Amino acid sequence: MPRINPRQLAQNLRQGLYPLYVVTGDEPLLVQECCDNIREAARKLGFNERELLHGENNFDWGQLLSAAGSMSLFADKKIIELRLPGGKPGDKGSKALQEFANNASDETLLLLVLPRLDRSQLNSKWVKALESRGVLVQIWPVDASEMPRWIHQRLRANGLNAEPEAIQILAERVEGNLLAASQEIEKLKLLANDSVITAETMSNAVASSARYDVFGLIDKALAADAAGAVRTLQGLRAEGVEAPVVLWAIAREIRSLLEIQKKLDEGQPLNRLVRIQKRQPLVQAACQRLHPSHLESFLLRARAVDNAIKGGREMDPWAGLLELTLNLSGKRSI
């Protein structure tokens, strides 16, 4: 079966259900929506039972094969959803997945959710085995140049229309965060009144999106205002901002600081690396305060928080976000 992208999934599901689906990518919103669409299509065909497995370190791969063989004579069809945050099943996992693929039946559906796979992983025996019996959905990041088109399509799908300038305002505001863009579009549905969304309406909508702003959180942390950053974090949580949105902003800034430090060491000027003038002193102070080794350790912690958000680790994601906020502010975590 050819590999497909999220836009092709709906048509693929209408043509019939396969016993195996592999969803791979690093865009949480698109991954979630693809999984939702697959589950919904399966439920319409009688897959009313669902078993969720987390393939972390020391995962017993016998659970996967056991789940496939545990159905009774009168049981409903079953969805087996396996989340593999690391993306690498190892030797035991590879053999188990190949065995599952070889014995796939119409009574079970495997939904395997992974981060983006590199070329060597895509060419591995276990991926090839799964593809031979199912569908691989590849989710690629939406870059800055594609973001206005993605927002326009999303608006149209929600019955909305907007001026090009309004779309550009939203694209700049969310800076590549699809989840944040989707949330803004949901709010715009309340403001549209069946008319075209103007640039003025969009500006007012995104400016009043939250009293505690994720970008304000980042700026306070860069300024070493730990107390202010923590208050903003608490405000974001109280206002119902989703943890993945906050994590995205923090992780994005950490990666940006690492890249800026590398280019500063190569002799490039800060004003060329940071175009927004008011942020230059904040970034400069953070680069002087935080060593690259610190930032790399923060990224590892961010991955752990992402794992917790996805249900693969027993920890409070907001506790992890608090720790990252303090770290980025130059403070040790409590």
Side-chain angles (χ1 to χ4, degrees), residues 126-147:
W126 61 273
V127 171
K128 295 292 187 183
L130 294 172
E131 280 191 285
S132 70
R133 299 297 305 275
V135 177
L136 189 146
V137 186
Q138 286 184 288
I139 297 171
W140 298 98
V142 179
D143 63 29
S145 63
E146 297 173 329
M147 196 65 185

Side-chain angles (χ1 to χ4, degrees), residues 25 49 100 108 130 137 178 209 223 287:
E49 184 179 351
F100 191 103
T108 59
L130 294 172
V137 186
L178 303 189
S209 61
C287 287

Side-chain angles (χ1 to χ4, degrees), residues 4-220:
I4 64 174
N5 61 47
R7 294 189 300 276
Q8 298 167 312
L9 179 59
Q11 177 63 28
N12 179 275
L13 291 170
R14 283 195 291 269
Q15 293 172 351
L17 203 63
Y18 284 77
L20 304 171
Y21 287 86
V22 181
V23 178
T24 168
D26 294 326
E27 288 287 358
L29 175 68
L30 299 184
V31 168
Q32 183 64 46
E33 290 181 343
C34 286
C35 291
D36 287 344
N37 290 338
I38 293 168
R39 293 190 205 102
E40 180 62 24
R43 280 194 290 268
K44 289 179 179 178
L45 294 176
F47 287 81
N48 297 318
E49 184 179 351
R50 175 172 173 251
E51 185 166 346
L52 179 61
L53 302 174
H54 296 283
E56 295 187 280
N57 293 335
N58 302 317
F59 175 65
D60 179 7
W61 284 94
Q63 293 183 51
L64 174 62
L65 302 177
S66 176
S70 64
M71 297 177 63
S72 68
L73 181 62
F74 303 103
D76 288 329
K77 296 178 181 180
K78 179 193 289 186
I79 300 172
I80 302 172
E81 185 169 337
L82 173 59
R83 299 178 183 176
L84 197 63
K88 297 179 179 180
D91 291 338
K92 291 182 180 179
S94 176
K95 291 177 182 178
L97 289 168
Q98 290 178 69
E99 182 177 347
F100 191 103
N102 291 335
N103 296 287
S105 74
D106 294 335
E107 301 302 311
T108 59
L109 182 149
L110 175 64
L111 174 56
L112 179 59
V113 185
L114 308 125
R116 186 170 58 176
L117 300 177
D118 59 30
R119 182 176 297 178
S120 64
Q121 291 170 307
L122 288 169
N123 290 324
S124 64
K125 290 182 179 179
W126 61 273
V127 171
K128 295 292 187 183
L130 294 172
E131 280 191 285
S132 70
R133 299 297 305 275
V135 177
L136 189 146
V137 186
Q138 286 184 288
I139 297 171
W140 298 98
V142 179
D143 63 29
S145 63
E146 297 173 329
M147 196 65 185
R149 181 174 62 85
W150 186 90
I151 289 173
H152 175 67
Q153 292 174 343
R154 195 82 178 186
L155 287 165
R156 293 293 296 271
N158 281 273
L160 301 175
N161 196 12
E163 295 176 348
E165 186 179 351
I167 292 173
Q168 190 62 41
I169 289 171
L170 182 55
E172 292 176 359
R173 174 64 173 76
V174 298
E175 297 187 355
N177 188 330
L178 303 189
L179 184 56
S182 178
Q183 291 175 334
E184 293 290 354
I185 289 170
E186 285 298 316
K187 287 184 288 185
L188 285 166
K189 288 165 69 173
L190 303 175
L191 303 174
N193 295 323
D194 298 324
S195 60
V196 176
I197 299 170
T198 65
E200 182 180 3
T201 299
M202 186 71 78
S203 295
N204 293 334
V206 298
S208 61
S209 61
R211 187 164 56 92
Y212 294 98
D213 186 270
V214 287
F215 301 108
L217 166 66
I218 297 302
D219 285 350
K220 287 183 175 65

